[in-house]
Amino acid sequence: MLTFYNTLTKQKDVFTSINPGKVGMYTCGPTVYNYIHIGNLRAYSNADVIRRYLTYRGYEVRMIKNITDVGHLTDDDVAQGDSGDDKMVKAAAKEKKTPQEIARFYEEYAFATQEKMNILPAHYNPRATEHIPHMIRLIETLLAKGHAYEKNGNVFFDVASFDRYGTLSGNTVEKLAIGARLEDPHPDKRNQWDFALWLKAPKNHLMKWDAPWSVGYPGWHIECSAMSVDYLGPTFDIHTGGEDNIFPHHEAEIAQSESANGVPFAHFWLHTRHLQVDGAKMSKSKGNMYTLEDITDRGFDPMDLRMLFLLSHYRSQMNFTWDALAQAQKNRHTLLGALERLAQSSTGGTTLDITAERTNFDNAMDDDLNTPLAITVLLRLATAINTHTATTSLANADEVRTFFTKALTALGIHTEAHADPIPDDILAIAAARDAARAAKDFTTSDALRDDLLAKGYTVTDSADGTKVSKK
């Protein structure tokens, strides 16, 4: 049975979809004011693995990933989304561009980077700025039901009106009341832990819209509630994000969505743990907030980074190091090398029974996406493939290759590399090496092997001669 650790219930729950065979899934996407970094990519890659594995299991998945291009304030994590500067406006001032220019530039970068990471595009990427009317209607519903209040053009959600507040994060009203207090709570709030649904904009604010209460802009939390309802309905299967989203963002989403609609919001909440770099928190001041370009500039492929993510369970804190990335690269080459052997294996020979490893892979992934164990299974199978094909052909090579490809696809690892044509000059070197080996001229054979390695190819000895593949 497929199980996920559900942040809402604090346990592994057996997954069943609301509608048989179909899954509605929402992922908190980027706030497009800067380049996304490898920590963001880990969260997005994990959401992609969830989607891919559900597809592997036969589900039809509808995935929504929003674009936050307004309303995400710099102090949202401590002030419930009602203080600080809008991140979009701040970036626009810094780069001397309009907020729209900032948004489109970093949005395009986010899309391109995720494509390089083989992250499947969402079915829809709703922009917050294009859904202001939806947010206004949702706020009107909350006001009408007594879950929100307006003062001086500002609208806040009344946290005390929702008795299940804190179920996701553990930050109940009672705990918040005796815990840390805000230094400067908004003067229009009834309770310091109430959060902003709509804020009246200062006269010179760059991003603002007409609303019944004021000319202003939406709070960050209301955006995802409005957009998810628009594309998935008031109740859906899975909501994902980084662990930093649990509070206050996701807690607020639940409160306002369920207060407005009267039904459970998301049934499963899956959160990815933080990523550290060399044992330290990522930060610009430390110079360790790496982007994908930092990875590729070191000679690594985006798929090496994806493999590194897979080698750590998504609910475990991951420590990025360059040595770990190099090992992930080796593991990926091992898997693709086995796939290459399968592609080149001639028909006939003996059969490699993969029944047990196929079951092991499925069991690992069914257990809350245990990708480290799933990779171990595939590496073990790769060893068996290499051992088997070194001495004989594989009668069921097509069957093994089909499963191997399907499993790697479920993990989001490109498998096309095995199909790339090998240049004629490389094949000629491989043929010359085979001739040298046949003549027991091992000095020449070793020199030709080193030449192939230097040209960027892996070299594997098999019963059919030298096999080469691109690193």
Side-chain angles (χ1 to χ4, degrees), residues 181-466:
R181 293 190 171 274
L182 302 180
E183 293 182 5
D184 295 304
H186 197 288
D188 292 337
K189 283 185 177 184
R190 293 176 184 169
N191 182 304
Q192 66 170 339
W193 293 109
D194 294 346
F195 56 86
L197 301 174
W198 188 265
L199 290 171
K200 184 177 180 179
K203 184 175 294 186
N204 61 348
H205 198 76
L206 293 178
M207 305 181 79
K208 51 191 174 184
W209 293 262
D210 289 330
W213 321 285
S214 65
V215 176
Y217 54 94
W220 176 37
H221 309 316
I222 197 68
E223 298 176 2
C224 286
S225 288
M227 290 185 285
S228 61
V229 167
D230 195 36
Y231 290 88
L232 296 173
T235 184
F236 57 92
D237 296 291
I238 299 174
H239 198 312
T240 76
E243 67 172 329
D244 55 314
N245 291 145
I246 296 174
F247 185 84
H249 186 47
H250 288 167
E251 195 73 74
E253 280 188 64
I254 292 173
Q256 61 202 8
S257 299
E258 296 188 4
S259 293
N261 301 315
V263 294
F265 183 43
H267 290 239
F268 281 78
W269 290 83
L270 280 69
H271 291 97
T272 304
R273 287 290 306 276
H274 286 309
L275 180 148
Q276 292 188 327
V277 175
D278 292 322
K281 182 179 179 180
M282 283 195 301
S283 70
K284 290 183 179 179
S285 62
K286 293 179 180 177
N288 63 359
M289 190 169 283
Y290 297 138
T291 64
L292 185 59
E293 286 71 29
D294 293 315
I295 303 301
T296 55
D297 286 348
R298 290 276 195 113
F300 291 98
D301 190 278
M303 290 298 93
D304 297 329
L305 180 61
R306 179 139 189 165
M307 176 62 75
L308 181 61
F309 293 155
L310 294 168
L311 292 171
S312 176
H313 192 268
Y314 77 93
R315 284 195 296 112
S316 299
Q317 189 173 72
M318 176 187 158
N319 184 35
F320 174 91
T321 68
W322 293 107
D323 287 343
L325 184 58
Q327 182 58 54
Q329 182 186 62
K330 291 179 181 178
N331 290 339
R332 186 176 70 88
H333 288 170
T334 296
L335 296 177
L336 294 185
L339 201 56
E340 175 72 18
R341 279 178 172 269
L342 290 170
Q344 296 182 356
S345 179
S346 57
T347 57
T350 58
T351 299
L352 176 61
D353 187 358
I354 62 169
T355 304
E357 298 295 35
R358 194 199 319 258
T359 300
N360 290 336
F361 177 84
D362 289 356
N363 288 343
M365 294 296 289
D366 280 353
D367 184 15
D368 191 33
L369 304 174
N370 191 338
T371 56
L373 181 55
I375 293 295
T376 298
V377 170
L378 294 182
L379 288 171
R380 190 165 60 227
L381 182 55
T383 298
I385 292 168
N386 293 340
T387 301
H388 205 89
T389 56
T391 57
T392 183
S393 299
L394 196 57
N396 63 331
D398 287 343
E399 176 200 4
V400 179
R401 185 169 65 251
T402 297
F403 165 68
F404 214 76
T405 301
K406 186 179 179 182
L408 288 175
T409 300
L411 297 172
I413 297 296
H414 277 309
T415 60
E416 292 84 352
H418 77 279
D420 291 341
I422 305 297
D424 290 341
D425 61 323
I426 299 300
L427 293 175
I429 296 172
R433 180 172 183 267
D434 285 338
R437 292 181 69 205
K440 300 189 183 305
D441 183 358
F442 298 114
T443 299
T444 300
S445 171
D446 289 346
L448 292 171
R449 178 200 61 203
D450 292 343
D451 188 22
L452 289 169
L453 293 173
K455 285 180 166 57
Y457 290 84
T458 59
V459 179
T460 306
D461 295 326
S462 74
D464 297 323
T466 299

